[in-house]
Amino acid sequence: MKPLSIEIIGSGVAGLCCALLFAQRGCTVTVHSASQGFDQSCCSWWAGGMLAPWCEMATTGAIIGKLGHDGIKFWAQHHAGTVAKGSLVIASQRDLPDLHQFAARTEHFERCNASDIEQLEPDLAGRFTNGLFFPEERHVDPRAALGETVALLRTLPNVHLRFESALSLEQLTTPTTEDWRIDCRGLSARDQLPTLRGVRGEMLVLQTRDITLHRPVRLLHPRYPLYIVPRHDHQFMVGATMIESDYRGKPTVQSVMELLSAAYSLHPAFAEAQIVEMGADVRPAFPNNYPKIVQNGRTLFVNGLFRHGFLCGPALAQRAVDFVLDGHIDTEIWNEYTA
Ligand SMILES: Cc1cc2nc3c(=O)[nH]c(=O)nc-3n(C[C@H](O)[C@H](O)[C@H](O)COP(=O)(O)OP(=O)(O)OC[C@H]3O[C@@H](n4cnc5c(N)ncnc54)[C@H](O)[C@@H]3O)c2cc1C
């Protein structure tokens, strides 16, 4: 039987996960992307890369935990650089009630006292007395993980990557000549998915040799869920603001001050760090902040990944494959298209 041909639009985390999983099932895959590759034009470029389903459950629903569990398995299998050291949530003495509330809304954690925190993160010794450790959580460097995915896709004979190939709305509303179209355009798909909205996120990358962290550390804060993710070469990604806006411009002074002050309250050594990078992009989100697959004939939209692109993108891609190749529908995330 002739393999199914799949047209994928977009090369962010959703598009690249779909491309890989369809290709691995023997489909002929063509990716069209407005981007020059996996690059700064994708929201996915700016992500922290945290695979933290149980931390996220404290502010979202169980569905994120379920999809995220699959995401952790996907990255462990597909990206050797996946770091399996868990994540740590801490709060200053003043914000301890927030830590208790956080604990009440989630699971899969161990409570930590000052000496546990010191064992996990020696550089935080003496700074925090209470925390929650989530041993099963993971993290990736998004640029390394998706850079590697693109490199792998380039080697597969059944995959064709067409970068700098933006499709117009007219092309996107004309039925595809391939068997299926998988639309992974992130926020740009608002022209066909009008309930999609933008949630702006700003981030920084700092570099210092004066502090070592082994895992993402979240600092509970009344305004933003702030976190610091260690990366290669003594770099730290500090993220991320959550602003109801679709403005993609550079980070604002206020946001940068808040991110920097969070880093400083985690450890004053960050005061001497170099600011290597500042960035911002807009997360695609549906009204309930849960991702969806929306079916319109032979087009599937994989979208609404909000702050969970790396966490939940692989599970959504797997569900798209399960539907197209095996006819399985996951009703929790499935929606029929309504114009
Ligand atoms: C600061 C920040 C931190 C984050 N941290 C995390 C985190 O720690 N963990 C996590 O899981 N998630 C995180 N996220 C969320 C994650 O980045 C998003 O959920 C994810 O990037 C959405 O991916 P996407 O593939 O849907 O969209 P995108 O990455 O934006 O990709 C869309 C693609 O579609 C292409 N495209 C658009 N229009 C067209 C067209 N007409 N024709 C062809 N191609 C087109 C674009 O060029 C692009 O390649 C974070 C986000 C931000 C901003």
Side-chain angles (χ1 to χ4, degrees), residues 10-11 13-14 33-35 43-44 47-50 167 306-311:
S11 59
V13 67
S33 178
S35 308
C43 178
S44 308
M50 287 186 304
L167 269 61
F306 183 46
R307 40 185 284 150
H308 308 125
F310 284 78
L311 182 63

Side-chain angles (χ1 to χ4, degrees), residues 65-75 311 314-316 318-319:
K66 186 169 139 195
L67 298 170
H69 194 252
D70 294 356
I72 285 185
K73 279 203 244 161
F74 172 90
W75 292 113
L311 182 63
L316 271 267
Q318 185 60 57
R319 281 152 178 77

Side-chain angles (χ1 to χ4, degrees), residues 58 107 118 165 170 234 250 303 319 327 336:
E107 53 196 44
E118 179 176 353
S165 162
E170 193 187 338
H234 305 276
K250 303 248 186 257
N303 216 315
R319 281 152 178 77
E336 286 297 325

Side-chain angles (χ1 to χ4, degrees), residues 9-15 32-35 37-38 41-51 165-168 172 184-188 199-203 227 237 239-241 279-284 302-312:
I9 320 297
S11 59
V13 67
H32 290 276
S33 178
S35 308
F38 171 60
S41 64
C42 306
C43 178
S44 308
W45 180 263
W46 304 102
M50 287 186 304
L51 308 174
S165 162
L167 269 61
S168 64
L172 289 162
C184 303
R185 285 182 292 141
L187 194 62
S188 304
V199 182
R200 176 174 162 85
E202 293 143 295
M203 54 80 86
Y227 54 80
M237 186 274 192
T241 56
D281 211 316
V282 181
R283 309 168 181 95
V302 176
N303 216 315
L305 285 163
F306 183 46
R307 40 185 284 150
H308 308 125
F310 284 78
L311 182 63
C312 298

